[in-house]
Amino acid sequence: MTLIKSISGIRGTIGGPTGDTLNPLDIVKFTTAYATFIRRCGKGKSNKIVVGRDGRISGPMVRQVVCGTLMGMGYDVLDIGYATTPTTELAVRMSGADGGIIITASHNPRQWNALKLLNNEGEFLTAADGTEVLGIAEREDFEYADVEHLGQYIEDHSFDQRHIDSVLQLKLVDCEAIRKVGFRVCVDTINSVGGIILPQLFEQLGVEATFLNKEVTGNFAHNPEPLEKNLTGIMDEMRTGKYDLGVVVDPDVDRLAFICEDGKMFGEEYTLVSVADYVLSNTPNADGSKSLTTVSNLSSTRALRDVTARYGGIYSAAAVGEVNVTTKMKEVGAVIGGEGNGGVIYPESHYGRDALVGIALFLSSLAHKGCKVSELRATFPEYFIAKNRIDLTPETDVDAILEKVKELYKNEQVNDIDGVKIDFPDQWVHLRKSNTEPIIRVYSEASTMEAADALGKKIMQVVYDMQ
């Protein structure tokens, strides 16, 4: 089964039978359910919904189905065309729309597509709201507009520049310092919308950029998830010595990874750590009335906690998932947060992962420090994360297993807001049930990869012994 329904939207492979894949009938059903929810929640006043899409081959088909359905529900459609996820999020706010739909399957391969659903703040729906949308779809509890109340279709391609303008206007983005350095960067935009907006960003920052996989074809040149094993092309190019920095984004440009000038990975986990270090070091707290705070999810590196402590700040952990991170950030008043997958969330801009914001802040940090990327990386605590999995059978009682693990390690620091995370003094392990596969994900971190993997496998054996 390749149709995944979740609180954040619907995702699947294109083609095949209804109810089992992402096809026009299911797209209509879930778009209708979303539009019904937006109208019933009563928070919107514009009767307008923004639609943006990444560069996938199936994008035109999905876009037409989505836009036509929204018009059939009586909503005016503001189609912003090719757009990153953060651009679409900002477009909702900038246009005063009632909501937004981003047509993207993020880092999934080319045969996948998805609908990501936004509220009137340009943020992902909460768990409760997403559950309500799923319920409306399941009950088919909706009604279409009559001919007198059909929506209108409007195109507006101004939001890329408006997004860039908002980034350049951030107080901690030092455009002058960046221009003075004259950075040379190599950028992999994986044949999607990064190839449209990032050339404009770098040009306006005065950065000399060379692009790989720039053409927006949707035929991704390699697996689009920005992990080291998929980035041999740009890593080899960086080893030529012609560049100061390598930059990699995923197809919808909300994840960001850097490569050092010598061709080595900066580390996707350290994208947020490095940007947070710069933000914390430049965020005034003169009266001491409020601690500097940061947030990441439970499966992200401990390095963010350590860097936050350097500045006397407080680190908080959230359940996995962007909406959980942003909810926690608002609760604690975090100055920056995000996820270890290269997702930077900077509230001064908006509550969404944004690679453009991450790039601009990182370059500002590099310009101020006057060092090489590899030298910057060496200033942060060194940790390694091992990722393992436990395959489940239909008979497996995951909740019972996690409860037993929690009881077994009750004398350690345990967090159970999302699965079970056990914090030891010098390492941690996190077990959580996957939302998309019949597995328990086992993430573990230590000062060496060998130690991290050994810890993960030790806990996995504990689980196996329980069955």
Side-chain angles (χ1 to χ4, degrees), residues 9-23:
I10 181 173
R11 179 180 303 226
T13 53
I14 296 296
T18 60
D20 194 49
T21 58
L22 192 67
N23 56 78

Side-chain angles (χ1 to χ4, degrees), residues 46-302:
S46 70
N47 199 54
K48 177 169 56 185
I49 291 178
V50 173
V51 176
R53 70 179 180 93
D54 71 11
R56 291 171 186 274
I57 295 169
S58 59
M61 179 274 287
V62 179
R63 178 190 64 81
Q64 291 188 48
V65 175
V66 167
C67 291
T69 302
L70 291 172
M71 293 167 67
M73 287 296 293
Y75 272 104
D76 295 335
V77 173
L78 181 61
D79 184 356
I80 64 173
Y82 283 131
T84 73
T85 283
T87 303
T88 310
E89 292 170 342
L90 284 167
V92 172
R93 284 173 42 186
M94 291 174 174
S95 67
D98 296 353
I101 295 179
I102 310 163
I103 301 169
T104 176
S106 191
H107 61 272
N108 285 93
R110 65 195 287 274
Q111 67 269 28
W112 288 78
N113 215 327
L115 309 183
K116 291 184 177 181
L117 310 178
L118 304 174
N119 63 20
N120 65 318
E121 296 292 332
E123 300 170 13
F124 289 121
L125 302 185
T126 65
D129 291 347
T131 299
E132 178 61 21
V133 172
L134 292 175
I136 293 170
E138 183 67 25
R139 299 188 302 271
E140 297 190 5
D141 177 22
F142 36 69
E143 184 176 335
Y144 294 97
D146 62 34
V147 70
E148 303 296 336
H149 296 93
L150 296 175
Q152 303 297 309
Y153 177 79
I154 307 157
E155 289 188 10
D156 187 340
H157 299 285
S158 68
F159 287 98
D160 274 2
Q161 187 56 53
R162 293 168 72 176
H163 183 182
I164 292 171
D165 288 344
S166 73
V167 172
L168 301 185
Q169 290 165 9
L170 292 170
K171 291 179 182 178
L172 293 187
V173 172
D174 193 335
C175 299
E176 183 178 351
I178 293 171
R179 292 190 185 101
K180 282 183 178 178
V181 173
F183 288 110
R184 299 163 302 162
V185 302
C186 185
V187 190
D188 186 347
T189 54
I190 193 60
N191 308 109
S192 192
V193 292
I196 298 173
I197 195 169
L198 291 186
Q200 300 174 57
L201 175 69
F202 285 119
E203 180 181 0
Q204 292 173 51
L205 283 170
V207 172
E208 180 185 333
T210 298
F211 284 83
L212 307 179
N213 309 314
K214 179 183 178 185
E215 187 179 0
V216 184
T217 63
N219 284 309
F220 305 142
H222 54 78
N223 185 306
E225 188 165 14
L227 303 176
E228 181 173 359
K229 63 182 180 181
N230 302 325
L231 303 178
T232 54
I234 188 171
M235 292 173 73
D236 287 343
E237 180 64 19
M238 288 298 298
R239 293 188 185 102
T240 64
K242 296 187 294 186
Y243 311 99
D244 302 302
L245 172 67
V247 177
V248 182
V249 294
D250 65 342
D252 66 326
V253 198
D254 62 355
R255 289 175 61 175
L256 172 65
F258 296 121
I259 300 171
C260 299
E261 77 286 345
D262 57 5
K264 295 180 181 178
M265 289 292 294
F266 189 80
E268 193 182 24
E269 287 282 337
Y270 284 82
T271 298
L272 173 60
V273 174
S274 60
V275 173
D277 176 72
Y278 173 68
V279 169
L280 290 166
S281 68
N282 288 279
T283 301
N285 187 28
D287 61 3
S289 61
K290 187 176 181 182
S291 296
L292 298 174
T293 54
T294 63
V295 173
S296 65
N297 68 43
L298 286 170
S299 288
S300 298
T301 179
R302 184 179 280 185

Side-chain angles (χ1 to χ4, degrees), residues 233-418:
I234 188 171
M235 292 173 73
D236 287 343
E237 180 64 19
M238 288 298 298
R239 293 188 185 102
T240 64
K242 296 187 294 186
Y243 311 99
D244 302 302
L245 172 67
V247 177
V248 182
V249 294
D250 65 342
D252 66 326
V253 198
D254 62 355
R255 289 175 61 175
L256 172 65
F258 296 121
I259 300 171
C260 299
E261 77 286 345
D262 57 5
K264 295 180 181 178
M265 289 292 294
F266 189 80
E268 193 182 24
E269 287 282 337
Y270 284 82
T271 298
L272 173 60
V273 174
S274 60
V275 173
D277 176 72
Y278 173 68
V279 169
L280 290 166
S281 68
N282 288 279
T283 301
N285 187 28
D287 61 3
S289 61
K290 187 176 181 182
S291 296
L292 298 174
T293 54
T294 63
V295 173
S296 65
N297 68 43
L298 286 170
S299 288
S300 298
T301 179
R302 184 179 280 185
L304 179 61
R305 183 202 68 177
D306 294 352
V307 166
T308 304
R310 285 183 186 175
Y311 299 99
I314 298 173
Y315 165 79
S316 295
V320 174
E322 182 173 338
V323 68
N324 297 317
V325 173
T326 56
T327 299
K328 189 68 174 180
M329 288 177 68
K330 293 175 184 178
E331 176 188 322
V332 302
V335 296
I336 191 164
E339 299 182 297
N341 61 11
V344 174
I345 303 172
Y346 187 45
E348 284 290 319
S349 175
H350 63 120
Y351 279 102
R353 296 181 301 179
D354 192 331
L356 278 73
V357 170
I359 289 167
L361 291 173
F362 186 86
L363 288 173
S364 298
S365 176
L366 210 57
H368 283 196
K369 290 181 170 65
C371 64
K372 294 181 179 179
V373 177
S374 59
E375 293 170 342
L376 175 61
R377 176 64 178 80
T379 66
F380 302 124
E382 187 80 347
Y383 292 111
F384 297 85
I385 292 181
K387 299 181 180 181
N388 290 289
R389 57 186 278 174
I390 299 172
D391 293 303
L392 304 174
T393 66
E395 296 77 31
T396 305
D397 187 339
V398 177
D399 292 336
I401 288 174
L402 295 180
E403 194 61 36
K404 289 178 182 177
V405 170
K406 188 170 73 170
E407 175 63 23
L408 188 62
Y409 289 94
K410 63 183 179 182
N411 293 328
E412 305 293 341
Q413 186 177 338
V414 175
N415 188 320
D416 62 357
I417 62 171
D418 185 12

